[in-house]
Amino acid sequence: MSDLQSAALTLAGVTLVFLLILFLVLSARRPRTEPVPRAPAPREPRERPFAKRGRTRDDEPAIAMAPSRLARIKSTHAAEADDEPAPPDRFDAAVLEAQIAAVEQRAADASAVPPETPIADTSDEAALAAAGVVVRLVPQIPLRDAISTNSRIGGRPRLPASLDWPRIDGVDAVFVAQIACDALPAALWGGLGPRHGSLAFFRHPATSAPLVLHLAEGGPPRDPPHGEPFPEWPVDVIEAAPGESESEAADTPKDWVAALGAEGYDIADPAFHPFDWQSMLAMADLLEARLGGLATDAALPAGASDELAEAAHTNHDARARAEEIIAIIRDTAGRQDFSAADASAVMAALHAIRWTHVTHATDPETGEARADILTLPLTRHNARADLWVGAYLRQAFEQAQRGWCRDPGVMSAPARAFFEPLWRDLAERAAPTMGGGDPGREPGMLQLLTLPADGLLPGLAGGGADLVLTVAGAEFAVGDVSRVRAGRRVPETMRD
């Protein structure tokens, strides 16, 4: 071996040793890592997990909204759950939410008319049970919470925006009442009928033919297409004690105007003053319509006495002064804000006017003709000579209701002190009712609503007798209110 070959071998050995040392140094500086265990090979699932969860009760988590559980809660058949489409193999939150929503919607629809709802039993025992529960719709006097109260008589209905104003036989209907179904006792009508949403009652303005709507949802207050609605009274739905409601509902209140007239009153009293321009103008219209009675009462026969001539002059002067006050009212209304001082001034001026009522009669002893002359302030009531005061008091009763139902604060303290106890008495003695009736008289029929002819809202029933709305129990059991019938019941105090 030559020197050149020895040198080459020596260089190669040194290079290998250097590389070995370098590798060891780098290996020593490198961080050590723990070995990662290998995962076992996945096994093929035999069936899809969501499909299995829908059918295996033991595997359901506590919070799972399984269709079978929803169906049992909503009183539907659990077999409907098997009709659910199986969820995809791969979890998709949107798809699952859509499935849950679909199941909940079907369960909610099923609960509205449960398949197990019993059809009305027309046996005597069932009819008596259905008629035994009665609720009274008692107006809130004073108002407690009119905003959140969902039941009312009179006023404006709460209709969905998509629903037009109801019509009966081509005529715009009169709104009567709207009652929240969830406020009704479970035993009312033998458990039949809806317990969600509301029942809205309407009638024909002339024939009183009824229309009842079951509304799942409401809306803002809706004004009628024509005319002014009745005053709106929020009501409490109160279950009556056995034997209480029927007698009270049939007990027509006494004529409070006549009763007050027997005691004597004067509408110049602050309790009867107009409280806004609307009520003031209504009073002026009524007074103007009755002024013609002054000329009739003051008609002079031939050879009239001086007393009759003086009476005629008094009535002529009274008419002229009253017409002047009416003109001032109409000229001022709308030009300036109304004030209680305005009402006081007008009523004081009317009270200062005197008029005479003349009654012609024959003296029973002498047989001679005679004239009885009665002179009164224009605001004083007298049963023998009622020119306009009694009519005004009835008008003030309605006007006060409208104002008080809008805002009790618009009424003066004397007015509230007079009207509120009167309204409360009328409401308690003649409240509308739901349920009750005579099952032997109309087998299988249920009384939906009874409206007293008199009471707090005397015109609401649309006639001189109580308005009674009935429906067949078999139809009401499935939520059908399309064939409600109307009848009349004469209150006991109006019967011969």
Side-chain angles (χ1 to χ4, degrees):
M1 180 180 297
S2 64
D3 293 337
L4 182 58
Q5 290 176 334
S6 291
L9 290 175
T10 302
L11 180 60
V14 171
T15 303
L16 290 174
V17 172
F18 174 79
L19 292 175
L20 178 60
I21 293 172
L22 181 62
F23 175 78
L24 293 175
V25 171
L26 293 175
S27 298
R29 293 183 177 182
R30 202 173 195 181
R32 295 183 179 182
T33 59
E34 295 292 333
V36 178
R38 295 181 60 186
R43 292 180 295 180
E44 288 294 328
R46 296 184 179 180
E47 53 183 330
R48 291 172 291 189
F50 289 104
K52 182 177 180 181
R53 183 167 307 198
R55 291 178 171 83
T56 305
R57 186 175 302 177
D58 295 336
D59 292 339
E60 289 180 1
I63 61 172
M65 300 178 70
S68 60
R69 297 183 65 206
L70 282 175
R72 289 197 301 274
I73 294 173
K74 300 294 185 179
S75 301
T76 59
H77 296 293
E80 292 180 2
D82 293 333
D83 296 334
E84 288 298 306
D89 292 339
R90 194 173 175 186
F91 177 78
D92 188 330
V95 174
L96 183 59
E97 289 294 333
Q99 292 175 0
I100 292 174
V103 173
E104 291 178 328
Q105 183 61 46
R106 279 199 297 275
D109 294 341
S111 66
V113 183
E116 297 84 6
T117 300
I119 300 301
D121 186 353
T122 58
S123 65
D124 292 341
E125 182 179 353
L128 287 171
V133 177
V134 181
V135 297
R136 306 179 68 234
L137 308 177
V138 182
Q140 297 178 3
I141 306 173
L143 294 175
R144 294 193 309 277
D145 192 1
I147 296 177
S148 63
T149 299
N150 297 319
S151 298
R152 62 193 59 84
I153 57 174
R156 299 175 295 171
R158 276 56 170 172
L159 301 176
S162 59
L163 182 65
D164 293 334
W165 186 270
R167 295 172 65 85
I168 303 175
D169 298 333
V171 179
D172 291 327
V174 176
F175 173 66
V176 172
Q178 188 167 5
I179 308 302
C181 295
D182 59 5
L184 301 175
L188 182 64
W189 302 310
L192 303 181
R195 292 300 187 271
H196 69 283
S198 65
L199 290 173
F201 298 86
F202 297 82
R203 66 167 177 83
H204 191 281
T207 66
S208 293
L211 174 65
V212 180
L213 302 176
H214 177 217
L215 304 175
E217 58 183 14
R222 181 87 63 88
D223 289 317
H226 306 95
E228 188 174 4
F230 284 94
E232 179 171 305
W233 288 97
V235 297
D236 294 323
V237 180
I238 301 175
E239 184 172 353
E244 172 192 359
S245 58
E246 288 296 328
S247 60
E248 292 195 0
D251 182 16
T252 305
K254 61 186 179 182
D255 188 340
W256 63 272
V257 175
L260 187 63
E263 301 174 1
Y265 63 92
D266 192 316
I267 58 173
D269 187 306
F272 309 122
H273 286 187
F275 55 88
D276 59 11
W277 282 121
Q278 181 180 359
S279 57
M280 180 78 85
L281 289 171
M283 181 192 72
D285 292 341
L286 176 62
L287 176 58
E288 183 179 50
R290 297 299 181 94
L291 287 180
L294 291 176
T296 300
D297 286 341
L300 292 175
S305 63
D306 293 342
E307 291 81 0
L308 289 178
E310 181 65 24
H313 176 74
T314 299
N315 284 350
H316 183 273
D317 180 64
R319 181 168 185 166
R321 293 172 63 186
E323 288 175 343
E324 182 181 4
I325 293 174
I326 292 172
I328 292 174
I329 291 173
R330 290 172 175 168
D331 183 64
T332 308
R335 287 190 171 188
Q336 62 186 45
D337 294 337
F338 181 87
S339 68
D342 296 330
S344 297
V346 168
M347 301 309 287
L350 291 176
H351 179 76
I353 299 175
R354 297 295 186 267
W355 74 287
T356 59
H357 175 74
V358 180
T359 303
H360 299 280
T362 302
D363 192 304
E365 296 182 358
T366 63
E368 296 180 355
R370 69 179 187 186
D372 293 331
I373 301 176
L374 178 65
T375 302
L376 296 167
L378 196 57
T379 56
R380 178 76 52 79
H381 177 266
N382 185 283
R384 291 169 47 205
D386 189 5
L387 178 65
W388 75 293
V389 174
Y392 169 75
L393 187 58
R394 294 183 186 275
Q395 176 180 278
F397 176 86
E398 181 178 345
Q399 293 285 341
Q401 283 191 60
R402 295 184 187 280
W404 190 87
C405 289
R406 291 194 303 267
D407 178 11
V410 303
M411 303 290 294
S412 67
R416 295 185 65 172
F418 174 80
F419 282 109
E420 287 184 358
L422 173 63
W423 293 335
R424 190 179 304 113
D425 178 66
L426 294 175
E428 291 175 353
R429 297 175 59 200
T433 62
M434 305 180 79
D438 184 0
R441 188 175 181 180
E442 290 186 297
M445 300 299 293
L446 303 174
Q447 286 192 8
L448 284 186
L449 180 68
T450 300
L451 287 174
D454 293 310
L456 200 57
L457 293 172
L460 195 62
D466 297 347
L467 179 64
V468 183
L469 305 184
T470 59
V471 65
E475 297 173 357
F476 199 42
V478 294
D480 184 4
V481 290
S482 62
R483 294 195 291 179
V484 173
R485 298 190 301 178
R488 292 290 178 180
R489 182 186 68 187
V490 179
E492 292 181 357
T493 55
M494 296 177 61
R495 299 172 186 170
D496 295 334

